[in-house]
């Protein structure tokens, strides 16, 4: 469920969004006033793939997910978006239908900004323009990586690459990496365009090989350097 709230009574502000960090308080207040503010329940669809809307959404609190639904009904997860990030900028720039759908993973607070206001901020503030350009460049690089993985790697090595991408250094053991909270197998399958059974088999094989462990609240990559090497070898052999 998506619930509209009154922006004048909301304690949240776009001052929490790094994109606007260089703006003055009165400039941020003007942007706040131009937005509609919404509370979104976990699991709710915020925008649909191919929707005609062109507004931009800023995640003030919460966690949402970028997804594309394939013709057969299977969904592919492209990336996650958290506090301080935003989505919908492509449609705001080119006026075309949404390139992906967005679903709330947790309860979230989002600010919906009209496309014209967003474009005005880009034109008026070089710091905003530079960050949007950097974001778009990063998305192109990410999509190029994903296309290469899908066209070159099998399910096993796509899973290895995704586990590495989701992980961060383990504060308890520098040689390890952790994924916390641990993703469910269906979500991992959606990230690599596979199915849950294949992911389950590969995770079990990693555990038997001593490369993966399960800790309360986390998956632990016991030898991320070895996983990275296996992915590189798969590229070379492909």
């Amino acid at each position: 469920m998506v619930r509209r709230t009154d922006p004048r009574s909301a304690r949240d502000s776009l001052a929490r969004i790094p994109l606007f960090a260089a703006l003055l308080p009165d400039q941020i207040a003007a942007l706040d006033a131009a937005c509609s503010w919404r509370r979104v329940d976990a699991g709710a669809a915020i925008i649909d793939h191919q929707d005609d809307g062109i507004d931009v959404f800023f995640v003030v609190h919460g966690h949402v997910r970028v997804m594309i639904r394939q013709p057969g009904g299977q969904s592919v997860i492209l990336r996650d978006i958290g506090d301080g990030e935003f989505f919908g900028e492509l449609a705001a720039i080119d006026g075309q239908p949404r390139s992906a759908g967005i679903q709330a993973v947790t309860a979230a607070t989002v600010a919906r900004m009209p496309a014209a206001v967003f474009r005005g901020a880009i034109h008026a503030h070089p710091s905003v323009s530079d960050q949007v350009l950097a974001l778009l460049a990063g998305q192109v690089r990410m999509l190029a990586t994903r296309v290469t993985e899908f066209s070159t790697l099998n399910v096993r090595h796509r899973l290895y690459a995704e586990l590495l991408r989701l992980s961060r250094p383990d504060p308890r053991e520098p040689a390890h990496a952790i994924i916390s909270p641990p993703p469910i197998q269906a979500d991992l399958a959606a990230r690599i365009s596979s199915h849950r059974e294949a992911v389950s088999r590969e995770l079990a094989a990693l555990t038997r090989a001593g490369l993966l462990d399960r800790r309360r609240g986390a998956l632990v990559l016991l030898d991320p350097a070895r996983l990275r090497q296996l992915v590189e070898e798969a590229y070379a052999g492909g």
Side-chain angles (χ1 to χ4, degrees):
M1 178 182 295
V2 179
R3 298 187 290 271
R4 188 183 301 273
T5 62
D6 182 355
R8 291 170 296 180
S9 64
R11 291 178 297 174
D12 303 310
S13 169
L14 294 176
R16 301 176 62 92
I17 307 299
L19 181 67
F20 302 122
L23 272 60
L24 298 174
D26 61 330
Q27 294 170 328
I28 291 177
L31 293 177
D32 282 345
C35 293
S36 59
W37 295 75
R38 299 183 174 195
R39 310 292 183 187
V40 183
D41 292 333
I46 303 175
I47 61 175
D48 294 325
H49 184 207
Q50 296 297 314
D51 185 83
D52 290 332
I54 60 172
D55 293 344
V56 180
F57 294 77
F58 295 87
V59 181
V60 182
H61 299 287
H63 171 196
V64 305
R65 179 163 289 162
V66 185
M67 307 176 69
I68 293 179
R69 188 170 297 279
Q70 297 177 325
Q74 183 180 8
S75 293
V76 176
I77 297 173
L78 293 181
R79 64 189 180 101
D80 288 352
I81 296 173
D83 291 0
E85 298 182 274
F86 58 97
F87 58 90
E89 69 285 347
L90 295 183
I93 291 170
D94 65 13
Q96 297 299 307
R98 302 292 189 183
S99 60
I102 306 290
Q103 184 177 45
V105 177
T106 67
T109 299
V110 297
R112 180 173 184 168
M113 178 181 289
V117 175
F118 179 72
R119 292 195 302 270
I122 291 175
H123 294 313
H125 305 291
S127 65
V128 174
S129 177
D130 288 346
Q131 290 183 75
V132 171
L133 288 173
L135 173 76
L136 295 176
Q139 289 184 4
V140 171
R141 292 179 185 277
M142 180 271 291
L143 290 173
T145 297
R146 297 293 293 273
V147 168
T148 302
E149 289 176 0
F150 286 138
S151 62
T152 306
L153 302 180
N154 59 22
V155 169
R156 171 176 296 171
H157 294 100
R158 292 204 304 273
L159 176 62
Y160 294 175
E162 189 64 27
L163 291 173
L164 289 166
R165 191 160 34 239
L166 292 173
S167 68
R168 65 179 189 274
D170 186 348
R172 301 184 187 180
E173 175 51 64
H176 297 170
I178 61 172
I179 305 172
S180 180
I184 63 174
Q185 292 178 2
D187 283 353
L188 281 174
R191 289 178 181 275
I192 63 172
S193 191
S194 184
H195 51 86
R196 188 192 62 78
E197 293 78 9
V199 168
S200 178
R201 286 196 301 270
E202 295 301 336
L203 291 177
L206 284 173
T207 301
R208 290 194 300 271
L211 296 174
L212 180 71
D213 194 14
R214 289 173 172 82
R215 178 192 301 168
R216 182 177 178 85
L219 289 179
V220 183
L221 307 184
L222 299 174
D223 193 348
R226 175 57 179 160
L227 283 182
R228 195 169 292 109
Q229 180 185 13
L230 290 170
V231 173
E232 291 171 355
E233 290 174 353
Y235 274 125

